[in-house]
Amino acid sequence: MMSKLNLFDFSQKIDYKVEILAGLTVAMTMIPESLSFAILGGFPPLAGLYAAFIMGLFTAVFGGRPGMVSGGAGATVIVLISLMKSHGIEYVFAAVALAGIFQILVGVFKLGKFIRLVPQPVMFGFVNGLAIIIFMSQLEQFKTVINGHSAWLSGNPLWIMLGLVALTIAIVILLPKLTKAVPSSLVAIIVVFVIVLTLGIDTKIVRNIAAVSGGFPPFHIPAIPFNLNTLSIIFPFALIMAGVGLTEGLLTLNLVDEITGTKGNSSKECIAQGGANMLNGFFFGMGGCPMIAQTLVNLSAGSRARLSGIVAAFTILIIIIWGAPIIERVPMAALVGVMVMVAIGTFEWMSFRIINKMPKQDIFVGIMVAGITVWLHNLALAVLIGVILSALFFAWDNSKRIRVKKYTDQAGVMHYELFGPLFFGSVTTFTEQFDISSDPEHIVIDFKESRIADMSAIDAIHKLTKRYFEANKTLQLRHLSADCRSLLQDAATVIEVNILEDPNYFIATDRR
């Protein structure tokens, strides 16, 4: 019980300076992104900042692994845009709270472990697509509003913006070569901020996106009718939001595991994300999920503990209440430069180096997932399609791998030794291997190097047994593993097969 209540690993050595500076850097990059996503969805700007605070704090304390950062993410906001337009923000808050309940249930029943079914090509596609989205979203900052219409910057404003972005990128790249005492991203933001303020440079600042001043997130019960009609409206949005959030969160958790060489707890992360979204629904937040861009900013700044996420969350709250006048004057060019470097760091450049060594189907899956991620901004759908395609390619490849070795022993018994899995994709090839008219009266199929995988395999064996019976011949199965025997016993009411008794043995997937 105590291990479950132990939120922090006090044996872990923490560099407080690194954690605090990393948290400040994360807060600086999260504020404009949360504001942008809130405005994109038609929500009040403060709903985005409240989501960043609530998600960031709750998941930093209760989440499945240190180093991950959550906030008001665009992946979940996009799901709710149509609900916002059709029914208003009160229904959005209710859907966010319901999505939190779904996510908690996934964590309680430990369903998050199924993220291991996501193949590496899908991961490559997901990460690369996300990197492109992060980069493309920064291009919006090179636009301005003229006579109520959005237009690209031109002339001096464009060159100033480009120059400041280039300066930010140069600092982020070059400073770590001189010192790693402070996060280069935070230094870049401060330097550009001071230059613009001192020289009085006219450029786009955070205030041009939205005001960020406000108070503590107010408690608010969604003002909606509590009936089945309301549930039918918010249910699909909540379900999709929960799926998108968990998909992005668990994939981000896996990515952080690879970067840090440590292991996170997926079930704990699901519960924490769900709890945070429930709070969002009742404290005026637009909801969210783990943010891969801010997580990578956090990790690149050297953070490996929970403290940085807590610092980032409280920094956002302090800025909302007291620090808005300062933050509103931060140049957007500095934040764009930091996010461009995050996009470059997020992209799996290694995928280009190994592309000529990957199977063609894996290349296709990776490109497909990246394309859907960029085109639809629907990470859950992209990953789902990628997993389905990978599964189909795997099934097709394995359907061709089944082989049969035939021989007749001294007693005149015909033996068929199977190699490869017997499942829906390989049953046709399996059935074609038997010559019922020419076989002797006694036939044995040896499954020592094979296994029965599904109902299609069971049905194929049943039909084969029936055909031999009709020819007055006996078919028996040998060397079935325990799970195969169990599968056949469960289907005993619809099939009839003969199993030869043989010693128990273990296969690679059995636990001893």
Side-chain angles (χ1 to χ4, degrees):
M1 182 67 178
M2 288 302 295
S3 62
K4 293 183 179 179
L5 296 176
N6 184 19
L7 303 177
F8 298 93
D9 181 8
F10 292 103
S11 65
Q12 181 184 14
K13 185 178 180 181
I14 298 177
D15 189 326
Y16 289 95
K17 183 182 75 172
V18 168
E19 294 295 322
I20 292 172
L21 293 176
L24 294 174
T25 306
V26 167
M28 293 301 101
T29 61
M30 190 183 292
I31 287 173
E33 191 163 341
S34 297
L35 286 172
S36 298
F37 289 137
I39 295 169
L40 174 66
F43 308 127
L46 278 176
L49 295 182
Y50 287 150
F53 164 65
I54 295 170
M55 293 294 303
L57 179 61
F58 198 88
T59 57
V61 175
F62 298 102
R65 68 150 305 113
M68 276 182 62
V69 176
S70 296
T76 52
V77 169
I78 290 171
V79 174
L80 301 172
I81 290 177
S82 61
L83 179 61
M84 178 67 184
K85 291 180 179 178
S86 61
H87 289 83
I89 196 165
E90 297 295 334
Y91 280 80
V92 169
F93 290 147
V96 169
L98 182 58
I101 294 174
F102 290 151
Q103 291 172 329
I104 290 174
L105 291 175
V106 169
V108 168
F109 290 103
K110 301 186 183 300
L111 301 179
K113 61 187 176 182
F114 289 106
I115 196 67
R116 71 184 67 172
L117 297 177
V118 178
Q120 192 61 42
V122 176
M123 282 289 290
F124 277 146
F126 164 78
V127 172
N128 290 345
L130 206 55
I132 295 172
I133 289 177
I134 294 171
F135 179 81
M136 295 295 289
S137 66
Q138 306 314 307
L139 299 181
E140 291 297 314
Q141 305 306 328
F142 288 88
K143 293 181 179 179
T144 187
V145 178
I146 301 176
N147 297 325
H149 299 284
S150 179
W152 291 99
L153 293 174
S154 60
N156 285 337
L158 175 61
W159 290 112
I160 290 172
M161 188 78 168
L162 288 172
L164 293 175
V165 170
L167 175 61
T168 304
I169 292 173
I171 295 173
V172 173
I173 293 174
L174 298 176
L175 184 62
K177 297 180 179 180
L178 300 176
T179 178
K180 294 184 179 179
V182 291
S184 58
S185 299
L186 181 59
V187 172
I189 293 171
I190 293 173
V191 169
V192 174
F193 174 77
V194 171
I195 290 175
V196 170
L197 191 65
T198 303
L199 300 181
I201 298 173
D202 184 17
T203 187
K204 194 174 184 180
I205 58 177
V206 171
R207 186 191 303 155
N208 298 135
I209 298 180
V212 298
S213 59
F216 191 84
F219 178 74
H220 170 76
I221 298 176
I224 58 172
F226 290 91
N227 53 40
L228 290 177
N229 183 53
T230 299
L231 181 62
S232 68
I233 294 171
I234 66 174
F235 184 87
F237 291 96
L239 192 63
I240 295 172
M241 178 187 169
V244 169
L246 291 177
T247 300
E248 183 165 0
L250 295 175
L251 289 176
T252 302
L253 185 142
N254 276 5
L255 189 63
V256 177
D257 286 350
E258 292 180 10
I259 293 173
T260 62
T262 55
K263 184 66 176 174
N265 187 321
S266 59
S267 297
K268 193 175 179 181
E269 183 60 35
C270 294
I271 294 173
Q273 190 179 147
N277 274 319
M278 284 190 65
L279 288 176
N280 267 282
F282 292 100
F283 283 91
F284 211 78
M286 66 181 185
C289 65
M291 304 175 74
I292 190 170
Q294 278 64 34
T295 297
L296 292 172
V297 167
N298 192 38
L299 296 177
S300 64
S303 171
R304 293 295 183 271
R306 297 180 184 270
L307 181 60
S308 62
I310 297 172
V311 169
F314 277 112
T315 299
I316 292 172
L317 180 63
I318 291 170
I319 288 170
I320 293 172
I321 299 175
W322 295 294
I326 297 175
I327 298 302
E328 287 177 354
R329 301 185 67 179
V330 172
M332 286 304 303
L335 302 176
V336 169
V338 170
M339 296 308 293
V340 166
M341 291 306 299
V342 168
I344 293 173
T346 302
F347 198 91
E348 286 282 4
W349 300 101
M350 181 186 70
S351 58
F352 284 128
R353 294 198 301 269
I354 66 173
I355 194 167
N356 60 338
K357 301 179 178 65
M358 295 171 63
K360 292 180 180 179
Q361 61 266 28
D362 287 350
I363 298 172
F364 175 78
V365 169
I367 294 174
M368 178 68 74
V369 171
I372 295 173
T373 302
V374 173
W375 182 35
L376 299 179
H377 287 215
N378 191 328
L379 305 179
L381 179 62
V383 171
L384 178 62
I385 291 176
V387 171
I388 291 174
L389 285 175
S390 296
L392 290 175
F393 284 133
F394 175 81
W396 176 254
D397 184 59
N398 276 272
S399 69
K400 300 180 292 184
R401 293 183 180 275
I402 192 162
R403 295 178 292 108
V404 176
K405 179 183 177 182
K406 306 178 185 178
Y407 69 90
T408 305
D409 64 17
Q410 295 178 350
V413 177
M414 172 64 77
H415 292 260
Y416 287 85
E417 290 186 359
L418 257 59
F419 299 85
L422 183 59
F423 68 110
F424 67 90
S426 60
V427 292
T428 301
T429 305
F430 164 77
T431 305
E432 292 173 349
Q433 304 300 314
F434 295 89
D435 187 354
I436 297 175
S437 60
S438 301
D439 282 347
E441 294 182 357
H442 193 182
I443 302 95
V444 174
I445 303 178
D446 195 327
F447 281 86
K448 189 174 183 179
E449 301 295 336
S450 180
R451 65 183 305 173
I452 299 168
D454 60 10
M455 192 63 202
S456 296
I458 294 173
D459 184 61
I461 294 172
H462 173 57
K463 288 179 179 178
L464 193 63
T465 303
K466 185 177 180 181
R467 290 170 62 192
Y468 274 112
F469 176 78
E470 291 172 350
N472 294 319
K473 298 177 181 180
T474 303
L475 176 65
Q476 294 181 304
L477 312 182
R478 175 180 288 169
H479 288 137
L480 288 170
S481 59
D483 56 339
C484 294
R485 285 171 175 265
S486 175
L487 202 61
L488 288 172
Q489 287 171 2
D490 291 340
T493 57
V494 294
I495 71 167
E496 184 178 347
V497 295
N498 296 316
I499 301 176
L500 284 176
E501 292 296 329
D502 45 63
N504 290 331
Y505 68 96
F506 292 93
I507 57 174
T509 57
D510 287 331
R511 292 182 180 272
R512 293 183 183 242

